[in-house]
């Protein structure tokens, strides 16, 4: 009888530790994702503000798109980080992915609109294609965490 009880306790302990480990990994990945979104929110906002203030006449479409991408990154960061905003996260990340794909395609099809690059032009080539990969990873993370 004691052997059965001990065996059950070990299995229960292992099961709960595995669940805790899984939750910890999800939190770690989520925190990393939010941190990357935060860095992009700050960098895209700084870039857009500088471009709009100093060089707007040189490439207005590209700079307006940089400002839009900055707003999307700020909103996505807040939606991922705040539980009260979490229901908006999938829409924000999907909007970001569609924006990257549309702007990236447009930058090759209509290159005259992008005399200067925006955050999303060339599918984020100026940022190491992170703008293209980030929403895909965000959508995977959101799906796995059922948000």
């Amino acid at each position: 009888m004691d052997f059965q009880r001990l065996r059950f306790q070990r299995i229960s302990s292992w099961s709960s530790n595995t669940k805790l480990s899984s939750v910890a990994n999800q939190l770690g990945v989520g925190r990393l994702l939010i941190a990357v979104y935060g860095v992009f929110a700050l960098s895209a906002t700084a870039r857009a503000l500088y471009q709009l203030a100093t060089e707007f006449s040189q490439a207005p479409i590209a700079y307006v798109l940089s400002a839009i991408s900055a707003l999307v990154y700020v909103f996505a960061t807040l939606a991922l980080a705040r539980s009260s905003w979490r229901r908006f996260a999938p829409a924000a990340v999907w909007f970001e992915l569609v924006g990257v794909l549309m702007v990236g395609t447009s930058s090759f099809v209509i290159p005259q609109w992008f005399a200067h690059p925006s955050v999303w032009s060339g599918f984020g080539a100026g940022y190491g294609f992170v703008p293209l990969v980030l929403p895909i990873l965000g959508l995977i993370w959101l799906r796995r965490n059922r948000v």
Side-chain angles (χ1 to χ4, degrees), residues 14-30:
W14 178 80
S15 176
S16 65
N17 286 341
T18 302
K19 288 178 187 174
L20 288 175
S21 174
S22 176
V23 170
N25 285 339
Q26 290 172 358
L27 287 176
V29 171

Side-chain angles (χ1 to χ4, degrees), residues 10 12 15 21 34 43 47-48 53-54 56 62 72-73 76 80 87 90 98-99 108 127 142 147:
R10 280 188 177 168
S12 296
S15 176
S21 174
I34 292 166
S43 65
R47 177 181 181 158
T54 63
F56 179 74
V72 170
Y73 284 124
L80 290 166
R87 68 180 178 266
V98 170
F108 289 110
Y127 287 87
L142 287 168
V147 175

Side-chain angles (χ1 to χ4, degrees), residues 51-108:
Q51 290 172 330
L52 290 173
T54 63
E55 304 169 347
F56 179 74
S57 62
Q58 296 174 15
I61 293 174
Y63 296 155
V64 168
L65 290 172
S66 284
I68 291 169
S69 70
L71 293 173
V72 170
Y73 284 124
V74 169
F75 185 74
T77 302
L78 292 171
L80 290 166
R82 295 181 178 218
S83 59
S84 60
W85 289 35
R86 188 68 51 91
R87 68 180 178 266
F88 301 115
V93 176
W94 271 110
F95 184 86
E96 175 195 2
L97 179 59
V98 170
V100 170
L101 294 174
M102 289 178 61
V103 172
T105 302
S106 298
S107 66
F108 289 110

